[in-house]
Amino acid sequence: MYYYKKHFFSFITLQKRNFSVISKMSFTYKEAVEKLNSLQSNAALLEKLRKAGPRMNEKSLPEMREYFKRIGYEPKEFDRLNLIHVTGTKGKGSTSALTQSVLHHYDSNIKTGLFTSPHLVAVRERIRINGEPISEVLFAKYFQDVWERLEATKEDAIRAMNLSEQDTKDLLRNEREHPDKPIYFRFLTLVALHAFMQEKVNCAILEVGIGGEYDSTNVIETPIVCGITALGLDHVSVLGNTIDKIAWHKAGIIKPGVPVVSFEQVPDAMQVVKKRAQEKNAPLTVIHASDISKLDGLKIGLAGIHQKYNALTAIKLCKIWLKRIRGVELDDNQQVPEEFKKGLAMVRWPGRCQELPIKDTKYSATANGKVTWYLDGAHTVESLQVCATWFADVMKDASKAVRILVFNCTHGRDSAKLLNVISGIQSQVHFDHVVFTTNITFREGYTADNTNKTVSMEEVTSVQQELAKSWFKQVPEFQKKSVHIVETIEDAVDFAVNISNDLPEGKEQVQILTTGSLIMVGNTLTVLGIEPQ
């Protein structure tokens, strides 16, 4: 996203063993998170980047390679992590989690690393070893390693920048607090791969942030296998507004000669994936939705039929990895290898079709016991359709309940179009109240882990007002007094809890669907007192 001179950092040849930066004092976890937050792009800058168009990131990979050189790595070194690279629009995080769980439960000696985004409660959830978030101590340690190695090369890096006032991109760069350092997600990519190298993981699974072709994770050179989950329209301001353009970006993770597994796509997207695989002589396996029968009677630890599709992709990724790394040949005609079943059943991935009873939250002693949150971070039309189907199905056998929808979506998305998916099930689920909230966690503000500088308050309030207007257009018979706009997620949670303590006659429980934004879901878990999972 930020441009440097043609030979940016080319004069820097620092090797890992040459670093002599010795910190007088170790970073605390809080200090590390605060420094990380300083790397967020502010809302004004993001708006300028949106207006600049989708080609702003095409030089990100050369930049990432130079950042890695500054902290002492060449991308080729990451091959020793036996990488699995996963992209997609829907289910890339879940597929990554399923893949990790299957491999680690297949053989506990396979030490796995998992890098995903965003986090829900704590930023360290993004970097996992054997499925567990790294500790605060380890996160702070590896964060400090990266920070100080960048500090050691800061002076030369800034001199190498082209800060001409005639260059708009340079002017944008100057609005950042640390122009010599990568922005938030890219910095975390540095930390994650550094952590995996230091922890000597046997298999690192990397979920792409946005797109694929120019994503910071695509700095890796020779993964063992790549995966592409279901594609749809998302991040159109960056990737393009048609499915074939988005597919081109996603398929950018395909590497020469490296096997790739893709879930079947709509024809325009599938054509692009096949073409890019052919161009790179990469063997392509297509997973078909009809293969779901292979999972009949099998327990998957994640709810929803879409997770079965993700499981099919994960199973194939694991088979290819085991064949290429361990020489293990698993019968493709076998429905599901027996050794994979425990990993599929044991996987946990919060915030996706998650049921959370109030007894498991900090509100357990202050509210009627029959309160359940249904949390799903769906934020595209396709994923919201899956969420709506899941919630409507769960509600089939539930009665005598007050139902509340808590909804938000981030700026830049078509809020009315997204909301329409959920309003479409109103005749089935009968929401009694609709609450439109910001993503701000508490009335006092954000926690350090969930600080968000990327959205202005003007954007926040305008989104809520537009959502309310859209709801009345889509459900005109809905009572106006039952639509609520609140300033924080804490207010939304308190609203539901208060209703549970004063249930209308004939009602026995409260059911809350919280969806539209994965950030909102994560902050809801924070308000409910859920620890990082």
Side-chain angles (χ1 to χ4, degrees), residues 117-182:
S117 61
H119 60 276
L120 294 178
V121 176
V123 68
R124 60 190 178 88
E125 295 168 11
R126 296 180 182 227
I127 304 172
R128 296 171 182 262
I129 304 293
N130 293 333
E132 297 296 324
I134 63 172
S135 67
E136 292 187 356
V137 171
L138 278 183
F139 182 88
K141 169 182 166 55
Y142 294 133
F143 182 97
Q144 184 170 5
D145 287 348
V146 172
W147 186 273
E148 292 187 340
R149 290 178 184 184
L150 290 176
E151 281 291 300
T153 57
K154 180 177 181 177
E155 195 172 312
D156 287 336
I158 290 178
R159 276 202 301 265
M161 291 181 184
N162 180 0
L163 297 178
S164 167
E165 291 188 356
Q166 302 303 313
D167 191 329
T168 303
K169 299 175 185 66
D170 289 329
L171 289 175
L172 292 179
R173 187 192 307 117
N174 282 332
E175 293 185 25
R176 297 175 54 214
E177 189 172 342
H178 298 285
D180 68 296
K181 295 182 178 64

Side-chain angles (χ1 to χ4, degrees), residues 65 68-69 73-79 219-221:
R65 293 185 190 101
F68 273 114
K69 285 181 183 178
Y73 291 104
E74 293 290 342
K76 188 67 180 174
E77 295 180 68
F78 302 129
D79 289 354
V219 72
I220 63 173
E221 295 185 356

Side-chain angles (χ1 to χ4, degrees), residues 29-47:
Y29 177 70
K30 182 180 179 183
E31 287 170 339
V33 172
E34 287 174 348
K35 287 181 181 295
L36 177 64
N37 288 338
S38 73
L39 302 177
Q40 290 188 34
S41 300
N42 64 41
L45 174 55
L46 282 179
E47 184 58 30

Side-chain angles (χ1 to χ4, degrees), residues 40 128 140 190 203 212 227 259 267 270 276 325 328 331 363 442 473:
Q40 290 188 34
R128 296 171 182 262
L190 301 179
C203 173
M270 197 72 249
R276 297 212 75 181
I325 296 302
V328 176
D331 187 0
Y363 287 84
F442 295 105
K473 288 180 182 178

